[in-house]
Amino acid sequence: MSLAAGDRPIRVLVADDSELFRELLARVVAAEPGFEVAAVAADGDAAAAMTRALRPDVVTMDLHMPDADGYSGIARIMAETPTPILVLTANPTEAAGFRALSLGALDILEKPSASADLGEYGRLIRSRLRLLAGVKVIRHLRGLRERRDAAPARAARVEVVVIGASLGGPRALAAVLRGLPPDFAAPIAVVQHIADGFTAGLAGWLAQESRLDVREARDGEPLRAGRVIIAPTGRHLVLGDGVARLSDAPPVDTFRPSVTPLFTSAARQYGRRCCGVLLTGMGRDGAEGLRVIKDAGGPTLAQDEATSAVFGMARAAVELGAVDRVLPVDEIPRALRELAR
């Protein structure tokens, strides 16, 4: 693939303390026309300084580095020169890796193993970098926030909450769950688009960040108030009669798990006693499902543009007329507490 006339390559800054890995990753990133390694850095401080000086389109960040680690590098970059950041970690089940997302990194991906097919890994990481490079990290309020107080009155108490999220979702999920009490009166089911193998680590991190019981969903697991279940890698999560069900049905909107099957199953089982929430994310997965919940009489919420990393899924739902209230992420917990009271 060649660059069209006038196109600028995606400029990537690579931060890792291993010289060998820096060289390998730089080679993998630059293996396709359209990508350029702007610089490499050996620690977080150097990465922040180079980001400020060179203004790359996206940064890849290791976390465990001597002197200044990846966490301090991410914090400095997001404070000084906000830039899309892809975290690379050797351990996808480590909850600590998700702390980087709470500091402002957008996405997380596993480092290649010694036996990995570097051609395949290169296609994967370049796809992520291409996606992240198009995200505007500095956010501007536009358009739809004034809808946030337009909630219709509903007599039915919400008995289940279903949440969908994609790019930027872990940070938003943490903000929502932190605002809920341990005795929250409804079960919560979540679909988060994330790289394969990371859902267990995400659940562990969210359990640390909140006062709720957060876990990967298991087939046949009872739904319980105050428990949060997250769809595992590669399987749809749907709700049966008081239990979670995992499905190997084909992908929906290219995703498995997809938000829409979760939302439509919740609407079918709970009707107006179900609340649907769409958080930050690219694309439109979940928009149709949220409309099904609204049509069934259930309340529907969406994260606003100002607090979203990407106002995509929520925008698609708003454009469908599927959203009752568009709220900043830190106002969603209060809305959920009121609905489940």
Side-chain angles (χ1 to χ4, degrees), residues 64-116:
H64 303 295
M65 295 182 282
D67 299 325
D69 63 17
Y71 301 109
S72 63
I74 292 166
R76 279 191 56 190
I77 289 170
M78 298 312 295
E80 299 170 357
T81 320
T83 303
I85 298 173
L86 174 64
V87 171
L88 298 180
T89 177
N91 185 0
T93 64
E94 183 182 28
F98 289 90
R99 178 184 160 210
L101 303 189
S102 72
L103 293 171
L106 279 181
D107 205 359
I108 188 166
L109 192 65
E110 189 173 5
K111 287 184 174 182
S113 66
S115 60

Side-chain angles (χ1 to χ4, degrees), residues 84-285:
I85 298 173
L86 174 64
V87 171
L88 298 180
T89 177
N91 185 0
T93 64
E94 183 182 28
F98 289 90
R99 178 184 160 210
L101 303 189
S102 72
L103 293 171
L106 279 181
D107 205 359
I108 188 166
L109 192 65
E110 189 173 5
K111 287 184 174 182
S113 66
S115 60
D117 180 334
L118 290 182
E120 182 178 343
Y121 185 81
R123 287 187 288 274
L124 172 63
I125 194 169
R126 289 190 299 270
S127 172
R128 292 298 180 90
L129 294 171
R130 189 180 292 110
L131 179 71
L132 296 182
V135 175
K136 295 186 186 304
V137 178
I138 297 175
R139 298 181 285 264
H140 300 280
L141 178 61
R142 293 199 307 268
L144 297 165
R145 187 166 173 173
E146 67 274 9
R147 298 173 54 116
R148 68 186 189 183
D149 294 321
R154 296 178 189 273
R157 181 179 70 84
V158 162
E159 295 181 9
V160 69
V161 176
V162 287
I163 301 177
S166 186
L167 198 62
R171 186 181 188 184
L173 281 169
V176 171
L177 298 185
R178 280 192 210 107
L180 299 178
D183 60 350
F184 183 66
I188 300 171
V190 176
V191 168
Q192 164 69 56
H193 300 159
I194 201 164
D196 290 355
F198 278 88
T199 50
L202 174 63
W205 176 67
L206 290 172
Q208 294 173 7
E209 291 290 307
S210 71
R211 296 170 290 170
L212 301 169
D213 173 15
V214 188
R215 57 180 69 186
E216 266 194 317
R218 298 189 298 268
D219 190 54
E221 178 176 15
L223 302 177
R224 293 181 180 168
R227 175 176 292 173
V228 182
I229 56 172
I230 300 177
T233 293
R235 306 193 77 186
H236 293 302
L237 170 61
V238 296
L239 303 186
D241 185 11
V243 299
R245 292 295 182 193
L246 300 181
S247 165
D248 296 320
V252 176
D253 291 328
T254 75
F255 294 105
R256 189 173 65 196
S258 163
V259 180
T260 289
L262 172 62
F263 282 11
T264 55
S265 70
R268 184 171 58 250
Q269 290 293 328
Y270 291 88
R272 65 195 305 237
R273 295 172 291 117
C274 162
C275 174
V277 183
L278 266 183
L279 300 177
T280 174
M282 191 168 285
R284 56 181 304 108
D285 186 30

Side-chain angles (χ1 to χ4, degrees), residues 1-52:
M1 185 183 82
S2 60
L3 287 174
D7 283 353
R8 186 174 69 82
I10 294 169
R11 299 173 64 250
V12 182
L13 189 148
V14 172
D16 196 286
D17 65 322
S18 165
E19 182 178 1
L20 181 63
F21 186 77
R22 291 196 303 268
E23 291 177 355
L24 182 148
L25 189 60
R27 194 164 61 247
V28 164
V29 168
E32 179 181 311
F35 290 88
E36 173 187 302
V37 176
V40 296
D43 65 30
D45 281 349
M50 290 179 182
T51 300
R52 189 171 60 250

